Amino acid sequence: MNGESQVIFDRNAVEFVTVAAEFCAFLERAEGMKQETFVNTMLKILPLLYIKASMLPEIEQIGEEELESYVTEETYTILRINLADILAEKDDYLEVFLPEMAYSDTPIKKNISEDLADIYQDIKDFVFVFRLGLNETMNDALYICKENFGRLWGQKLVNTLRALHDVKYNQATDQDDDYHYADDDHDNYH
């Protein structure tokens, strides 16, 4: 076994694979889940996925061949629709970290479900290749996943996390707006 492929057995790499597999498995079994349960779980998995991805060791690509892809367009679409159904009216959010925003007078609308499906696609392809157990392809899958984390899905993850945070905590604020404090109680807090 060459030295480069030893990276795949690094503790941080193994922990990332574990969290990545759990992220994929959770999304795959989310159909019909209550929105609150889904959001609460995603608010725990996404930060962990981000931390584990950011701790991946330095790695060099070994092979020249393109790696096998697992996620088909149909799989992607079904997952995205299932997630959109769970999130319902809370699926849309305004994106502020797109380069196009610098030149736009109007906000850019994004969907949590689409962003999660995009992240899933990259992570699931990685997990699929990694589970094949071939050192060279495992190495290259880890390399590609780490590169894509920095260029693509890492930013989507934090944007989606922000939107999910808003889904969870703005609901309570919306309910608070319906509650009016008595003038006597308000004066006691000055």
Side-chain angles (χ1 to χ4, degrees):
M1 191 177 330
N2 68 39
E4 290 176 296
S5 64
Q6 290 294 329
V7 172
I8 62 177
F9 301 112
D10 178 89
R11 188 186 93 205
N12 289 326
V14 171
E15 288 177 1
F16 173 72
V17 172
T18 303
V19 174
E22 181 52 39
F23 168 78
C24 293
F26 177 75
L27 291 183
E28 289 162 358
R29 66 179 183 264
E31 183 179 4
M33 191 176 286
K34 290 186 177 187
Q35 185 182 85
E36 181 180 8
T37 303
F38 178 79
V39 170
N40 285 339
T41 303
M42 289 310 299
L43 285 171
K44 293 173 181 84
I45 290 177
L46 289 175
L48 189 56
L49 185 62
Y50 187 91
I51 288 169
K52 295 303 179 184
S54 68
M55 294 174 66
L56 285 171
E58 290 301 315
I59 188 166
E60 296 293 325
Q61 190 167 9
I62 298 173
E64 299 289 325
E65 297 177 27
E66 191 171 320
L67 298 177
E68 195 172 343
S69 182
Y70 172 83
V71 180
T72 64
E73 187 175 336
E74 181 182 4
T75 303
Y76 174 94
T77 301
I78 290 169
L79 179 72
R80 186 188 56 71
I81 291 169
N82 287 342
L83 299 178
D85 287 346
I86 292 167
L87 293 161
E89 75 284 350
K90 301 292 185 178
D91 192 28
D92 296 341
Y93 71 97
L94 298 180
E95 180 53 80
V96 294
F97 289 107
L98 290 174
E100 303 90 66
M101 276 301 296
Y103 308 107
S104 176
D105 291 337
T106 59
I108 298 173
K109 183 182 76 132
K110 298 286 288 178
N111 305 100
I112 296 170
S113 59
E114 185 175 347
D115 285 351
L116 288 175
D118 288 347
I119 296 166
Y120 169 86
Q121 183 174 21
D122 210 59
I123 299 291
K124 184 64 177 189
D125 284 345
F126 159 74
V127 170
F128 172 74
V129 171
F130 208 86
R131 284 187 175 161
L132 295 175
L134 305 170
N135 287 357
E136 184 176 308
T137 56
M138 291 167 70
N139 181 88
D140 289 355
L142 189 61
Y143 170 82
I144 291 167
C145 194
K146 182 176 178 171
E147 288 293 305
N148 287 346
F149 168 72
R151 292 184 309 109
L152 304 168
W153 64 265
Q155 186 66 58
K156 281 188 183 195
L157 186 152
V158 294
N159 295 348
T160 304
L161 185 60
R162 178 181 53 84
L164 287 166
H165 178 86
D166 187 62
V167 168
K168 178 173 179 156
Y169 293 104
N170 258 351
Q171 288 179 352
T173 303
D174 293 343
Q175 292 168 355
D176 289 346
D177 289 344
D178 295 337
Y179 182 80
H180 301 284
Y181 293 100
D183 289 336
D184 298 333
D185 291 341
H186 185 276
D187 292 337
N188 291 335
Y189 294 109
H190 289 315

